[in-house]
Amino acid sequence: MRKWTLALVLMLGIGQVSAQEIDRKEVVRRNNPHVTTMDKLSSLSVGNGRFAFTVDATGLQTFPEEYSSGIPLGTMSDWGWDSFSNLKHFKDEDVLVERDFGRGHKEWYSAQFKQPGKQKEAESYLRANPHRLHLGTIGLNLDDMSQVKDIDQTLDLWNGKIDSKFTYNGQKYHVETVVDPTKSRNNVSSRITSDDEIEVIIRFPYPTGKHTDDGCDWDRQNDRNHITNVYKGNGVLEVERILVRTNHPNSYWLYVSWIGDDVKTSVNNSNHTIILRSKSGVLDFSCEFSPAERRRIQIEPFAEHAIRSGQEWNNYWKEGGIVDFSHVKDPRAKELERRTILSQYLMKVNDAGETPPQETGLTYNSWFGKFHLEMEWWHQAHFALWGRPNYLAQTMVWYYRVIEKAKEIAQRQGFTGVRWMKMTDPSGREAPSNVGSYLIWQQPHPIYLAELLYRTQVYDDSVANVKLLPSEKKEKKELGKKLLDAFNLMVEETAEFMSSFATLDEVNKRYVLKGCIPAQETLKADSTVNPPFELSYWLWGLQTAQKWRERQGKPRNESWDLVINNLSPLAYNEDSLYLAAETATQTYRDIRFTSDHPAVLGAVGILPQNKLVNDDIMRKTLDWVWDNWNWNKTWGWDFPMVAMCAARLGEPQRAVDALLMDKRTNTYLPNGHNYQDDRLRCYLPGNGGLLTAVAMMCAGWDGSKGKNPGFPSDWDVRWEGLFPMP
């Protein structure tokens, strides 16, 4: 990885601001979540994008077991991962299977297995390891949730602080909680006042290694989990937490600091707990988690952490994009504003790290804590469109860390370039899957995201509707060159794979996409040819990669142009409705093709209109999907995808209706999380998709006309700092 790629992140600027003036503080604060009950789906989080801390109505993690079936009380970080011992020495090669998709060469895919045996054991181990690690719960030492009364809890979005008041057995508590915004720190700080003695307990759960849960196994402690009291000084306790493994112990450090001479501490290694006690009725303390040992921790009062948190969050809301729906007469506008503001908060807390986020961010464990690269667009494209490109850029640097592994995947399947993995972890290892290994729609994402960075930083008058001084134009031009240099290799290698993956149909003199599972995952790799969204994305991705070559003064790549000029158009049936794939001729008669994601609509919406798509047929397809789709089998990002398609096709009313469709998977909880079902209680791709759609509907897209082109003409939506989509 080029050393200056990460340094470039620090240079990225802030988005343009429109002429309208918005009282940003008022817009944000009127959407502060307010909690008055012990509601396990109303948990609140504070965080800095690399580390997050989620609390119950007491302002801390007092009842983690009770909240485990809601929005769990997670303490998670980018670096907090764990692996169980690999006693049988399983390797990636143990789960490879050879497939023949008629491309004239061997293709090896990482698979799952049904039959018992070594391959099944290897697949199970490699999917579950590494897994996300819950670093520890920090809560009041209270044992009866039913005795928590008179709850008055508010998340102060403007300052990134949770303020919680309640009584317990008649005793009053006031708890304030923040996370330090410093990028290198994983520090949660709290100030507790009460009219009696205060006791805080820190607990270290053993990891579960399960697919989706809170990551806390409170029963499997025993001799596998140790905490070592390393140092105790004046106001400081340093502890190493060790997870015992047969061949590789995993450890990290916790530094607890407090203000006041009356605070007493105790460490109990037998039940893996630390207790802080204050008899004065005030407890001001901080807990910092670290992957490495550090000494001489600075003791700072809660107020110092709160000031830094406030400064960081004030800047976040003052810079970049904001949308004000208060002038819209439609009563639904208030809810749309609430979802938009809370989504901006949640995405910074959970998705603004140095690795791609998991579906549930740093809130709780899903898919073993692994992240999915096909969701990276949904998690982070909005950062650029909302004028906060640095958050997107710092994650994109991760692609360079794993580019050699992506190249190995392409090579073992007989392709050139890099094939980006689907389900993975910080190391870039591809998790075995009978679906994920065949997905391809994550491949163009790095091109799209790099293009967003370029567009929103090196904009001209036609893109951003602003006037630049000559000095500003020179600065933008220089930044543009650095961006092209920084992400050129990523764009080039991605396009190279896309070109080599497209197969020439010599009979019909065209290129087809086959041997893949599309975004609509109910289709099979063996029988799928030319899924519509992927065709459009292949065209746009390769065209954009050529544009990057031209910006750098390079000639166009001839092999890419062959695919661009001869790619198959989208297939449709006798009723002029686009098919889920060219081979899915029963699309409108088989529920398998009308469930899961209506990805056909992504061909125009996520992407601009193109030569492969007929707008009239797409509009008719949108009508059919709207009236007939199995909406109870959709996901949170499907609704903004439909909205973006409707907007581009000139149906702004339907775009709004899509964003606010009354369906289970389009539910937004009081804390702003996008609820899916009992298993997946939060789903951040839905939040990110909402932000992307709102930005597009306000600022428009290339070629759109008029003010707020994605909203009905009677919606007086006011905004600042947004950028148009391609």
Side-chain angles (χ1 to χ4, degrees), residues 96-267:
L96 295 181
V97 295
E98 183 181 353
R99 302 298 304 272
D100 182 2
F101 291 114
R103 285 188 272 252
H105 55 75
K106 294 182 178 180
E107 301 179 33
W108 292 89
Y109 290 83
S110 185
Q112 293 174 271
F113 302 87
K114 294 182 179 180
Q115 298 300 320
K118 181 179 179 180
Q119 286 184 312
K120 176 61 179 175
E121 292 179 21
E123 166 245 304
S124 297
Y125 179 85
L126 294 172
R127 278 178 65 82
N129 294 280
H131 42 260
R132 192 79 60 160
L133 184 62
H134 193 300
L135 300 176
T137 64
I138 306 167
L140 289 161
N141 200 8
L142 310 176
D143 54 18
D144 186 354
M145 193 171 76
S146 67
Q147 294 304 310
V148 180
K149 308 287 186 181
D150 308 316
I151 297 168
D152 181 8
Q153 182 183 54
T154 300
L155 170 56
D156 179 358
L157 298 168
W158 188 257
N159 292 298
K161 183 179 76 169
I162 300 172
D163 189 278
S164 311
K165 297 175 183 176
F166 63 96
T167 61
Y168 183 83
N169 284 338
Q171 179 179 340
K172 293 182 180 180
Y173 284 88
H174 182 197
V175 181
E176 299 171 273
T177 311
V178 299
V179 159
D180 195 299
T182 308
K183 294 180 180 180
S184 61
R185 301 184 69 177
N186 301 267
N187 187 303
V188 58
S189 184
S190 183
R191 180 170 58 200
I192 308 169
T193 58
S194 180
D195 50 14
D196 202 347
E197 181 176 310
I198 299 169
E199 189 169 281
V200 165
I201 183 169
I202 302 170
R203 304 163 65 196
F204 297 96
Y206 195 77
T208 64
K210 291 184 178 180
H211 183 283
T212 304
D213 64 0
D214 65 346
C216 298
D217 188 341
W218 297 107
D219 298 322
R220 291 181 62 202
Q221 303 283 14
N222 302 325
D223 59 348
R224 300 181 180 183
N225 195 9
H226 292 288
I227 53 176
T228 303
N229 187 359
V230 177
Y231 173 78
K232 183 176 180 180
N234 185 20
V236 173
L237 177 68
E238 299 182 2
V239 168
E240 182 181 17
R241 191 267 177 109
I242 301 174
L243 293 110
V244 178
R245 302 288 183 242
T246 301
N247 52 4
H248 64 290
N250 187 11
S251 71
Y252 59 92
W253 294 76
L254 170 63
Y255 301 91
V256 184
S257 61
W258 57 88
I259 305 296
D261 297 331
D262 72 313
V263 178
K264 306 299 180 183
T265 65
S266 61
V267 178

Side-chain angles (χ1 to χ4, degrees), residues 378 597 634-641 665-666 668 674-676 683 685-687 689-690:
W378 296 98
H597 310 294
T634 52
W635 295 72
W637 56 266
D638 293 328
F639 303 96
M641 179 174 65
T665 52
N666 198 36
Y668 283 75
N674 179 207
Y675 179 91
Q676 300 299 286
Y683 187 63
N687 298 93
L690 171 75

